[in-house]
Amino acid sequence: MIPLSVTWDAIGGLVDAHERFLTGARVDADVRGAVLDSWKRCRSVGLEPDRLLVPYAPGLALDDALLRAAEPVLQRLSGSLSDVGMTVALCDGQGRMVQRLGGDRLLRGRLDEVRFAPGFDASEQVVGTNGVGTALAERGPVYVVGREHFADCLQPFACAGTPVRNPLSGHIEAVLDLTCLRDDSDPLMLRLVREAARDIEARLLEQATQRERALLAAYRRAGRDADGWPPQPAGTRPGRYGEGAGARLGRIDLAVLREKAEELIAAPHRTLDEVMLSGGRSALLLRRQVRGAAGGTGAVVEARILGGAGVGPVGRAGPGTVDGPATVAGVVPVPRFATEAAVAVPTSRITTPKKRATATGLPGSPTSPPLPTLLLPSPQSSAPEPVTDDRLLLLGDPGVGRLAVLARRRLELLHEAGIRVGTTLDVARTAEELAEVAVPRFADFASVDLPDPVLHGEEPGPLGAATRLRRVAVGSVREEPDLYGVGDQVGYVPSTPQSRSLETGRAVLEPVLAEAGGWLAQDPARLARVLTAGIHSLITVPLQARGTTLGVVSFYRSEHPAPFEEDDLSLAQELAGRAAICIDNARRYTREHNTALALQRSLLPKGRPEQSAVEVAYRYLPAQAGVGGDWFDVIPLSGARVALVVGDVVGHGLHAAATMGRLRTAVHNFCSLDLPPDELLTHLDDLVGRLDRGEGWAVDSSQADSGIVGATCLYAVYDPVSRRCALTRAGHPLPAVVGPDGTVEFVDLPSGQPLGLGGMPFETVELELAEGSQLVLYTDGLIEDRHQDIDAGLERLRTVLARADRSPEETCEAVLDALLPARPSDDVALLVARTRALGPERVAQWELPSDPAVVSRSRAAVTEQLAAWGLDELSFTVELVASELVTNAIRHATGPVQLRLLRDRALICEVSDGSGTSPRLRRARTEDEGGRGLFLVAQLTERWGTRYTPDGKVIWTELPLPRGLTTP
């Protein structure tokens, strides 16, 4: 039993993810997919991360062939890691450790404490997520570090593991693992362990070919006349190969014999078969076992030709003679794997492994299902092939075994490409993934060139020799300075393979680059150095998807001894075709995303409006899934006031962005009416309800508006003269107020229902803010997601805001750094406003009785105040405006009259009264004696309007300050 003996701090938030996973919460966005799958398997078998029961099995051993293949690789690997504090572990196919090499004393002691030692079980169902057991479960390489381990006791470590497979059968024979302390971890561990596993697999393959050679020698020693043949028919006589009618076989006879031999060698319970041939002849097939000197067993099928008329004299026998038995023999292994179908050849023409590998190469490997091996001459020639004195045979020789391995590697490469290429909807990253998959398993260098429009999500247009491409991705086994680098523009001359492939739309092969004059013409000096560096062959393939050419990919070989051949084209085209679809998907997504983002940015504020009431800073961050409907606004109002708005439309995409634009425009329109906050939200609620019920009148239903319109909103109005702030919200998160001393309070504001539901009134709360206070408005994406409830988010926000020395810009940065997740699932809008006050020195106010005689006194007071402010230039205009407004209030309104001047960015003149009747601007006729007052006011001022108060109304005007004067 292993107790919880080690505790470790989390990295990258995994501690929270691990704890939340154990409680059943979703952690998909915080944990890598392979690790999360492993955690789920661990939980399903009932593992407890703090208590493990690890069984021990003494005397574990691996197959001798595997140990012989692994020993030199492990010794070399552990020797190279002797200075880095890392241990090498070899485990069997069940995850039990057989050997552990290397590592310093500290690391070995720590590993012994957690039972990661020979004899102990490291399978996933026993010890949880780790480099051995998870590699077995995933059937592929894994890298696990720190908190990604499921068990608490393994979290101080980092490990990289990969299965070791039988290269012919694909069966997992062992697991190779590198383990170190977490602080010493490096993702390159995964590459090291994969290369070591491939070296072991290559040595296993060499041993398999040696076994086949031993079987061949055993068969030759067995002799031609083995026991077990049926007696020969009467009239026949023994004869040597090449003597008599049975010595010649046509292509049809050979094909029939091949088919029957394949059936016989694939049937373990049959030993004999008779085959009728042309010319009245027949063949008797015998299947028997043969054992090599080293104890390996195989199967041989022999064919004896009997009777019939001759097909032509061979040697001493003439037409019509009856020949003796002719044996056509072959040997194939009987182990668990199946060999590829291949053509049998005489022993004098059996190719060596080296020659066969060079002649076939990777893409030449067959893709048809494996067949039993026939032991007959080749039917490829149109002329009959005589049987010579040498036995005709086909052993499952090294070439055949390598074909099976190469075919499997090709399928593995295509499978890996399907998984690794196109993991994101980013054009450049998809191109990089193609280069990473191709190097080094198919090519030593790979480059992807795309036109700039594709990178921007646009249609590329026709591509040809005149098109300049941009190098987007490069993959290489070593540094190659003579090739173009990422970001370089490349203009291929017409004679290059790249230009030819773009023009024709087909892949182009250059097996010998030194002889490719068209390729060298691109840049003779540079490319001569490339040849000197060892690059010898090239395949270039156009990236085509949905009828459009998106660019070109080039594969180069230098480290591979075999150059590219014709058969390599199919694999290159398959890789490029899959990547082209992913690049086109990313391009289309980029275009749609850019369109939606451009629409949204065009609907959001473009800079800060001119106003003096508050100092503002804001941030908007779109969600990872795309643009959404969050918005904010700062709207100057009359009387030096300002409106602060933050809203959130349900959903993402173009529909949400368009709805956001509608609502933002509506808020601006309602603000021009100077409505109180609760009335404004009531009007906005009615508008959203109408959009939800009546929008989408289209020619057909497919063009109707998609989704239900819904939104939340917070609306605040701040008056710098009174320092009063009125706030109303519709289902929106609470605003925060940060006092000048750093205290943080969330305004106790009635929630209200989201916009569009209708039927319930909105409530307004007023509070007085000290000068220098910060009002923080935000959308719910900042404080709430599927991994965090709103209360926890509010507390984190309170903690971050509790600073008195920050500017609004610094507050925005601090809040986003502390609260925003790495991959936000929702839009985030943040608005921070620090309040200012319009002091008494900038405000002049007079209470006036309802007496026409007061008009002259008001003009005198205005003139005196303007002189004090140094605005004598405005005296005449302001006197006229003030006297007109005061006269109208005394004549047409009721209640007390108040005159107020505000010196802000403009000079504001206001007259308030107790009447709710709004004045109406009209044009007086020539004979009219009155009706020209408001017309004159409108002509003399920059803006004017009416706003209503609980006690009446205010008529306000704004006049620009003289040039050169600013707000004091």
Side-chain angles (χ1 to χ4, degrees):
M1 189 75 67
I2 300 178
L4 176 59
S5 57
V6 181
T7 59
W8 206 267
D9 293 335
I11 56 173
L14 278 175
V15 61
D16 294 332
H18 191 263
E19 296 301 325
R20 286 188 282 110
F21 174 81
L22 295 177
T23 61
R26 294 179 61 88
V27 294
D28 305 55
D30 301 322
V31 184
R32 291 189 292 127
V35 174
L36 182 58
D37 291 341
S38 175
W39 286 4
K40 292 177 181 178
R41 291 192 297 267
C42 296
R43 185 172 60 184
S44 67
V45 298
L47 282 184
E48 298 180 14
D50 58 338
R51 298 178 65 84
L52 300 178
L53 182 62
V54 184
Y56 175 77
L60 292 177
L62 293 174
D63 180 74
D64 290 341
L66 180 59
L67 287 176
R68 287 195 302 271
E71 182 176 1
V73 177
L74 297 182
Q75 293 295 335
R76 184 172 63 251
L77 180 61
S78 61
S80 65
L81 300 175
S82 58
D83 297 331
V84 296
M86 192 174 295
T87 186
V88 182
L90 183 65
C91 303
D92 63 14
Q94 288 75 46
R96 300 170 299 182
M97 189 182 298
V98 178
Q99 291 184 12
R100 194 182 74 188
L101 295 82
D104 54 27
R105 179 179 299 178
L106 172 63
L107 177 61
R108 292 196 302 269
R110 298 287 295 274
L111 292 176
D112 290 342
E113 291 178 4
V114 298
R115 309 294 191 266
F116 192 74
F120 287 98
D121 195 336
S123 59
E124 189 179 74
Q125 63 268 25
V126 173
V127 298
T129 308
N130 71 95
V132 176
T134 304
L136 274 176
E138 294 285 332
R139 302 185 65 80
V142 296
Y143 178 63
V144 183
V145 57
R147 278 282 177 176
E148 291 182 331
H149 288 90
F150 185 79
D152 295 337
C153 61
L154 297 182
Q155 290 169 5
F157 303 98
C159 52
T162 188
V164 178
R165 299 175 182 271
N166 185 308
L168 294 176
S169 68
H171 183 265
I172 295 177
E173 303 288 348
V175 181
L176 187 61
D177 173 88
L178 295 179
T179 297
C180 64
L181 293 175
R182 189 183 68 185
D183 293 341
D184 300 328
S185 64
D186 192 318
L188 287 177
M189 295 166 57
L190 190 60
R191 179 176 178 180
L192 289 176
V193 75
R194 291 177 67 176
E195 291 177 351
R198 288 172 182 166
D199 290 345
I200 296 174
E201 292 169 354
R203 292 178 58 84
L204 282 173
L205 181 60
E206 291 176 1
Q207 293 183 24
T209 60
Q210 293 171 2
R211 177 178 176 277
E212 290 175 340
R213 295 192 190 99
L215 290 177
L216 175 60
Y219 172 72
R220 287 174 173 172
R221 289 194 303 269
R224 183 163 48 229
D225 297 325
D227 295 336
W229 281 107
Q232 300 180 26
T236 63
R237 62 179 177 84
R240 294 186 59 80
Y241 290 76
E243 300 175 347
R248 289 179 181 269
L249 293 176
R251 286 187 303 161
I252 296 179
D253 289 340
L254 290 174
V256 172
L257 283 175
R258 177 175 289 103
E259 179 181 357
K260 294 299 181 180
E262 289 172 354
E263 294 177 0
L264 185 60
I265 207 168
H269 302 296
R270 294 174 55 196
T271 56
L272 289 171
D273 198 2
E274 186 175 8
V275 182
M276 300 305 298
L277 304 176
S278 62
R281 294 173 297 179
S282 64
L284 190 63
L285 302 182
L286 172 65
R287 178 185 186 276
R288 62 191 179 89
Q289 299 289 326
V290 62
R291 181 180 297 274
T297 60
V300 59
V301 174
E302 297 178 335
R304 178 166 295 181
I305 311 300
L306 303 174
V311 293
V314 177
R316 293 179 288 107
T321 60
V322 179
D323 196 21
T327 304
V328 183
V331 179
V332 295
V334 183
R336 291 163 293 183
F337 56 83
T339 59
E340 291 284 345
V343 177
V345 294
T347 53
S348 60
R349 293 187 292 149
I350 291 181
T351 58
T352 65
K354 181 177 180 180
K355 292 180 180 178
R356 177 68 59 87
T358 303
T360 55
L362 174 60
S365 56
T367 57
S368 57
L371 296 173
T373 306
L374 176 67
L375 316 152
L376 291 174
S378 168
Q380 303 299 321
S381 173
S382 59
E385 184 172 329
V387 178
T388 67
D389 187 54
D390 291 331
R391 295 181 182 272
L392 299 179
L393 55 89
L394 175 68
L395 185 68
D397 65 42
V400 176
R402 290 181 187 275
L403 288 178
V405 173
L406 295 175
R408 180 173 294 109
R409 288 177 180 172
R410 173 178 180 173
L411 294 176
E412 289 175 352
L413 179 61
L414 293 177
H415 173 70
E416 185 175 352
I419 295 175
R420 294 180 53 189
V421 178
T423 59
T424 68
L425 288 173
D426 180 83
V427 174
R429 179 56 193 151
T430 304
E432 292 170 359
E433 290 168 344
L434 170 60
E436 291 170 359
V437 167
V439 177
R441 298 176 63 178
F442 177 63
D444 299 308
F445 298 92
S447 62
V448 182
D449 304 321
L450 304 175
D452 286 338
V454 172
L455 295 173
H456 302 149
E458 304 168 3
E459 293 289 341
L463 299 184
T467 305
R468 295 193 66 83
L469 306 177
R470 188 170 299 280
R471 181 63 50 86
V472 178
V474 172
S476 64
V477 294
R478 55 183 169 83
E479 190 68 26
E480 183 49 63
D482 293 317
L483 291 175
Y484 294 107
V486 174
D488 292 347
Q489 273 203 333
V490 185
Y492 290 108
V493 300
S495 60
T496 58
Q498 287 83 357
S499 288
R500 301 205 308 271
S501 67
L502 289 174
E503 291 285 352
T504 62
R506 298 179 179 177
V508 175
L509 166 66
E510 291 289 356
V512 184
L513 279 178
E515 301 174 1
W519 178 75
L520 289 169
Q522 174 69 26
D523 189 342
R526 175 197 294 263
L527 297 184
R529 294 193 299 270
V530 172
L531 292 177
T532 304
I535 292 181
H536 52 71
S537 59
L538 161 70
I539 288 180
T540 180
V541 188
L543 294 167
Q544 296 176 316
R546 302 179 178 96
T548 301
T549 301
L550 304 172
V552 65
V553 56
S554 302
F555 302 105
Y556 297 87
R557 277 188 179 175
S558 62
E559 306 294 330
H560 284 70
F564 286 120
E565 298 179 343
E566 289 290 338
D567 290 339
D568 290 310
L569 289 173
S570 60
L571 180 56
Q573 289 171 330
E574 182 71 20
L575 288 173
R578 296 188 181 197
I581 293 294
C582 296
I583 289 175
D584 192 50
N585 290 340
R587 178 190 67 82
R588 291 168 181 261
Y589 170 79
T590 301
R591 180 183 59 192
E592 298 299 329
H593 180 76
N594 290 344
T595 300
L597 196 59
L599 171 64
Q600 185 186 48
R601 293 194 184 281
S602 69
L603 298 174
L604 287 172
K606 297 179 178 63
R608 299 173 176 86
E610 292 187 358
Q611 50 82 34
S612 302
V614 291
E615 177 189 354
V616 297
Y618 52 81
R619 296 289 187 275
Y620 171 76
L621 286 87
Q624 188 74 22
V627 300
D630 290 17
W631 92 93
F632 61 91
D633 226 327
V634 179
I635 306 172
L637 301 177
S638 63
R641 299 171 305 140
V642 65
L644 307 173
V645 192
V646 172
D648 184 0
V649 175
V650 174
H652 295 89
L654 287 174
H655 176 70
T659 303
M660 176 270 290
R662 295 170 180 172
L663 298 185
R664 180 170 178 258
T665 302
V667 171
H668 271 267
N669 292 334
F670 294 145
C671 284
S672 66
L673 301 176
D674 259 322
L675 297 175
D678 54 344
E679 291 186 27
L680 186 142
L681 285 190
T682 300
H683 285 287
L684 200 61
D685 179 54
D686 292 339
L687 173 62
V688 173
R690 290 196 302 272
L691 291 176
D692 195 14
R693 294 189 301 270
E695 279 276 320
W697 290 0
V699 176
D700 56 68
S701 59
S702 64
Q703 298 176 349
D705 230 347
S706 59
I708 297 175
V709 177
T712 64
C713 185
L714 174 62
Y715 183 79
V717 176
Y718 173 69
D719 186 346
V721 177
S722 64
R723 294 186 287 105
R724 303 285 296 177
C725 183
L727 304 99
T728 303
R729 65 174 178 147
H732 205 78
L734 291 171
V737 175
V738 184
D741 58 352
T743 58
V744 180
E745 295 292 339
F746 290 100
V747 182
D748 187 11
L749 186 61
S751 173
Q753 57 190 6
L755 300 174
L757 299 181
M760 296 295 290
F762 297 99
E763 299 183 42
T764 300
V765 170
E766 283 198 15
L767 57 144
E768 183 174 332
L769 300 178
E771 184 176 5
S773 299
Q774 289 191 2
L775 185 61
V776 182
L777 313 181
Y778 49 90
T779 55
D780 59 357
L782 183 68
I783 60 170
E784 183 181 20
D785 59 29
R786 59 184 178 180
H787 306 307
Q788 173 182 266
D789 61 35
I790 192 169
D791 292 334
L794 288 174
E795 285 305 313
R796 293 177 62 190
L797 178 60
R798 182 194 299 273
T799 303
V800 175
L801 292 177
R803 286 276 299 274
D805 55 346
R806 290 195 188 110
S807 67
E809 286 289 342
E810 292 171 340
T811 300
C812 285
E813 290 298 326
V815 168
L816 294 185
D817 289 344
L819 275 74
L820 198 64
R823 299 170 62 88
S825 58
D826 196 6
D827 288 20
V828 174
L830 174 64
L831 179 62
V832 178
R834 182 159 64 185
T835 62
R836 295 169 176 156
L838 207 61
E841 71 282 358
R842 297 165 61 187
V843 179
Q845 182 173 307
W846 301 273
E847 300 291 337
L848 304 176
S850 296
D851 182 356
V854 80
V855 175
S856 61
R857 295 199 301 270
S858 66
R859 286 198 298 265
V862 166
T863 302
E864 182 181 352
Q865 184 61 52
L866 292 178
W869 284 343
L871 302 177
D872 301 87
E873 297 179 25
L874 300 178
S875 295
F876 176 78
T877 303
V878 178
E879 284 182 33
L880 180 57
V881 170
S883 63
E884 286 293 337
L885 296 181
V886 171
T887 301
N888 283 342
I890 294 173
R891 180 180 298 176
H892 302 292
T894 60
V897 177
Q898 183 185 77
L899 172 63
R900 187 169 72 161
L901 294 181
L902 305 175
R903 183 181 179 183
D904 194 40
R905 293 181 178 272
L907 183 65
I908 302 171
C909 178
E910 296 181 344
V911 174
S912 59
D913 58 55
S915 172
T917 304
S918 175
R920 182 170 59 91
L921 179 64
R922 63 186 181 88
R923 293 182 180 272
R925 293 173 296 184
T926 305
E927 62 273 13
D928 289 343
E929 295 182 0
R932 296 177 177 84
L934 279 182
F935 178 78
L936 290 175
V937 169
Q939 295 298 312
L940 296 173
T941 60
E942 188 174 55
R943 293 198 310 155
W944 76 280
T946 305
R947 71 172 180 267
Y948 295 92
T949 66
D951 301 323
K953 66 177 183 297
V954 176
I955 309 295
W956 57 269
T957 63
E958 289 185 4
L959 290 85
L961 296 177
R963 182 169 300 180
L965 292 180
T966 57
T967 303

